[in-house]
Amino acid sequence: MLPELVELGRAGIEEPGLPMPFLRDWHAEPFAPGAPHGFPTASLAWWWTQRATFGPKD
């Protein structure tokens, strides 16, 4: 499922003329598969962190 999320982000998720829906424009990072700080690596790292830290209290 995560690769599909990466592709959705890469395809564009902002509506022109509306405010950016995120605190950081992570989806605008250079598309550099395998690079430690490029998209999609940074995106996947974020998703895995969210998954690993999610618990009953969350």
Side-chain angles (χ1 to χ4, degrees):
M1 179 182 220
L2 291 177
E4 288 87 2
L5 285 172
V6 167
E7 286 303 316
L8 286 171
R10 184 175 179 220
I13 52 178
E14 287 183 77
E15 185 68 34
L18 294 177
M20 187 178 71
F22 306 106
L23 297 175
R24 186 172 71 83
D25 60 348
W26 56 268
H27 58 289
E29 293 177 2
F31 187 70
H37 300 293
F39 185 83
T41 305
S43 176
L44 291 173
W46 185 86
W47 282 108
W48 279 108
T49 299
Q50 299 307 304
R51 183 176 183 228
T53 58
F54 184 78
K57 293 181 181 180
D58 299 317

